[in-house]
Every structure is written in C-alpha cells, then in structure tokens.
Amino acid sequence: MADLEIHPLQRQDEADVVELMRLALYGRDFPDLPGYWRWKHYDNPFGESFGLVARAGDQIVAVRAFMNWHLCGGGRLLRVGRAVDMAVHPEWRRRGVFERMTLALLEPMTAEGLVLTFNTPNAMSLAGYLKMGWAHPGRLPLRVKIRRPLRTTVRVGRTLLTRVIGGGVSQGGGGQALQGNVDNSRVLRLLRDPAVVELVQRAREAQLVAISPRSTAFRLRTALGQEYLEWHYGKNRWYPYAATYEAQGPAAALVIGRLRQRAGLVELLLTEVVTCPGRRGRALVARAAARLARETRADYLVTSALGGTPGALRGYIPVGRRGVDVTVRLLESTLTVDPSTWAGWAAGIGDFELF
C-alpha cells in the first residue's frame, strides 16, 4: 500500500466520499445519501464523527468513519465511538485497508477521552473485528408480543414465525425500500411537548445517579437527552417512527417505535422507552406500548430483552438472540461496567439501530 495516503476526513471530501459510498456500500438507489451522510456525521448532537480517507493519487479509494456517541453506565456519562461506515473501492479490497484505517482511528479517539467503541457489523466484517481484538457480546436478545395470533400464523405459518419475527432487527429497512422524505413531524412535536421534555430531563438525571451494580440502571445504554431524541427520531427522514406518551400523577412514560412490513405483517419495533424508576412508570410503559400498537395496527411488537423496564414486559415471549450482532473494543481499562457481555448492557433496540 505504498501508493495509499491516509488523511483526516474533511467536509470538502463529502462529494467524493458519498460517491464512493454509493459504489461500495449503499448502492445507487439509496435516497438522498448526501443528506443522510450529513445527518449522521455532522448533525449528530453527540458531536461530529471521527473519520479518515485514503487516497490513491487524487482519488479517494476508502473512507472509515466512527460516530461520536454517549453512553451512561455505572453512574457515569461515557464518551464512546460507534463504528459505522467503512467503504473501500473494489480495486483496493483485500489489501488490509479495512484493518489499517480502523486501527488508525483508535489513537485519536483515545486521546480525546473516548472509553470504548462499539458497532453492529455485518456477516462480512464481523470476522475482521474479531481478528483485531473486538469483544463479541453476540446478537441482541429480543422479546416479542403477538397481538393477532391467528392472522400472524396464517400469514407466515408456525415454522416460519420465529424466522420472521425479530429477524434482522435494525438491519436497515428490513426488506423495504428506504425513503428520503419520511415525515416524523408528529414525533418531533410530541418530543417538544413540555411534559415530555420534563420526563426526559428526569430520566436523564436518573441515569447519572451512582447506584448499585445490581441495578439495571447501572448498565450501559445511550445517554438520554432532548437533542438526541429529536435528532434520532424527529428529524430522521429515512425511517418512519410513531410515538405516544402516558402520564398518571407524577409518573409518566414515553414510547417510540419504528414500523416495518415483514411477510405481510406490521412489525412495531419498540426503539425507545423513557420512564422513571417505579411500578407506576413500568405500568405506564405497558399501557403506552399497547396504545401505540393499536394506533399503528401492529400485528406484533418487538423489544430488547435487556431493557430497564422488566415489569413492562409481561406477555412478551423471549425469542433468543435474533437482533443485530454487536462487537465492542475497550479504549480504557477503568470502566466499572463490562461491555463485553450482555450482562453489562441495558440497551434497547434504538441504541443499536443501523446507521
């Protein structure tokens, strides 16, 4: 690779990088890829992404990008990286470019205080991450609640049911063509409701309280915040979301879900659940999820089996590790939470949605 020069990713590289992404990763039909790139790497409220480009002469032949991300765990706010985009021109594949650029980004991320990086590799890249020393918690464990058993069974048959439900959760559009003009303005308006803003603030404060390691809230999940929720769900033009809010006295719950069509069925992925500790909060989560399922006419619901609201999962059936594959690389050795196994996580589906 003597002719390959690696440089930090710059905004002026965008046009060439997007063209490479179309060629090597996303394909020509991905809607508004320049807008998607900017939303993901520049508009992210956690900060602009870390990135490198590789040039052969005047041509960009590879790009590697890690999103800035924040997790809460062990009563701490943790700056982490999220490996998302890696594209290599076909003529430069199988020359070690993936490994070289990935490892090269770890040094500046560590220098800026990031404590770990995680990602959701596909079947092709998983072996590469394991070779570089990433830990492998495995596929995200899921739970499912079937609302219309007869319709669901008739549509897909019993033998195919577990293949359809939850299969490939968060892996892109789930077989649907993505759009670049999805209107999530209703979700955005709900997120800006003063009562919801207050709930999000209280839930964020609860995340940062130093508590017992035996508590679910001690484990890792994305740091809640108003800007993050608005960016992820309200300003996302590529995936359709629905949301609802329930309150009773001081207790409240916000539930956000993503809709997909799978085998002729409407699947509702519960991507975000926001509440405060307590039985009333858990009961309101269950009520809000049921309401959202009715409003969206979902045939079944899918949620993470790691979530921090176990009392709200009554009626949900474990279907095993059928979510996205996750790998992790520690950049700091002083964490009080172990991210290398699912025992260290309390993450929901939204924490690992494919970006």
Side-chain angles (χ1 to χ4, degrees):
M1 290 192 290
D3 297 329
L4 202 62
E5 296 183 355
I6 296 178
H7 305 280
L9 175 67
Q10 304 290 335
R11 287 208 180 201
Q12 56 262 36
D13 297 325
E14 181 183 308
D16 291 338
V17 165
V18 167
E19 186 59 29
L20 176 63
M21 299 293 287
R22 286 196 189 280
L23 173 68
L25 191 62
Y26 287 112
R28 293 289 171 185
D29 295 331
F30 194 98
D32 189 16
L33 185 54
Y36 186 67
W37 178 267
R38 290 190 292 271
W39 172 79
K40 179 165 60 171
H41 293 296
Y42 300 139
D43 298 342
N44 175 8
F46 296 137
E48 290 192 13
S49 296
F50 296 86
L52 295 173
V53 294
R55 293 181 179 274
D58 294 332
Q59 182 184 14
I60 292 179
V61 297
V63 60
R64 168 87 272 196
F66 282 63
M67 295 176 71
N68 254 305
W69 209 258
H70 289 178
L71 297 176
C72 278
R76 292 175 57 191
L77 179 65
L78 307 171
R79 287 191 63 200
V80 307
R82 184 169 179 178
V84 283
D85 289 320
M86 178 73 217
V88 182
H89 192 282
E91 295 180 3
W92 283 87
R93 291 174 182 168
R94 300 185 182 278
R95 301 195 195 186
V97 178
F98 166 71
E99 181 174 343
R100 178 182 172 185
M101 295 183 72
T102 298
L103 294 177
L105 265 181
L106 298 185
E107 184 176 344
M109 291 165 59
T110 304
E112 287 213 14
L114 277 66
V115 299
L116 64 87
T117 180
F118 73 97
N119 63 305
T120 51
N122 57 32
M124 294 180 61
S125 62
L126 175 60
Y129 285 107
L130 298 181
K131 178 184 175 183
M132 290 185 289
W134 262 245
H136 185 209
R139 299 182 74 90
L140 179 67
L142 302 174
R143 287 176 176 263
V144 168
K145 186 172 186 177
I146 301 174
R147 294 187 62 243
R148 300 175 179 177
L150 180 59
R151 169 181 159 83
T152 303
T153 304
V154 168
R155 283 279 184 176
V156 300
R158 291 187 178 183
T159 58
L160 295 177
L161 190 58
T162 56
R163 295 185 189 179
V164 172
I165 292 178
V169 162
S170 304
Q171 298 286 9
Q176 293 177 254
L178 289 179
Q179 303 176 49
N181 58 352
V182 173
D183 182 7
N184 284 313
S185 59
R186 292 183 63 183
V187 175
L188 187 60
R189 285 196 298 272
L190 178 62
L191 288 171
R192 290 175 173 174
D193 183 283
V196 174
V197 172
E198 181 186 1
L199 169 63
V200 171
Q201 180 61 33
R202 286 192 289 135
R204 177 179 173 82
E205 291 170 358
Q207 279 188 323
L208 296 174
V209 174
I211 50 178
S212 167
R214 291 177 293 180
S215 168
T216 301
F218 194 84
R219 306 202 305 261
L220 296 167
R221 64 162 297 178
T222 298
L224 287 172
Q226 190 66 30
E227 283 188 274
Y228 163 71
L229 293 175
E230 290 187 12
W231 166 78
H232 186 156
Y233 300 109
K235 299 177 182 178
N236 188 324
R237 295 188 287 108
W238 293 268
Y239 300 124
Y241 294 100
T244 191
Y245 170 80
E246 293 277 350
Q248 185 176 23
L254 169 71
V255 173
I256 303 174
R258 176 153 67 92
L259 297 168
R260 300 196 305 183
Q261 291 281 340
R262 296 181 66 84
L265 300 172
V266 178
E267 176 185 76
L268 178 61
L269 301 171
L270 299 183
T271 53
E272 199 76 43
V273 174
V274 181
T275 190
C276 290
R279 292 183 179 179
R280 287 188 179 180
R282 292 193 293 269
L284 289 175
V285 168
R287 185 192 302 178
R291 176 181 170 186
L292 195 61
R294 289 194 303 271
E295 291 176 349
T296 58
R297 302 180 65 84
D299 292 297
Y300 62 94
L301 300 85
V302 184
T303 187
S304 165
L306 305 177
T309 52
L313 296 180
R314 292 175 183 172
Y316 287 76
I317 304 167
V319 292
R321 298 187 176 192
R322 300 192 56 78
V324 291
D325 233 339
V326 175
T327 56
V328 179
R329 170 72 177 258
L330 276 176
L331 303 178
E332 177 193 294
S333 60
T334 60
L335 287 182
T336 56
V337 182
D338 180 8
S340 66
T341 71
W342 287 126
W345 293 84
I349 288 176
D351 297 86
F352 298 116
E353 277 197 295
L354 189 62
F355 284 122

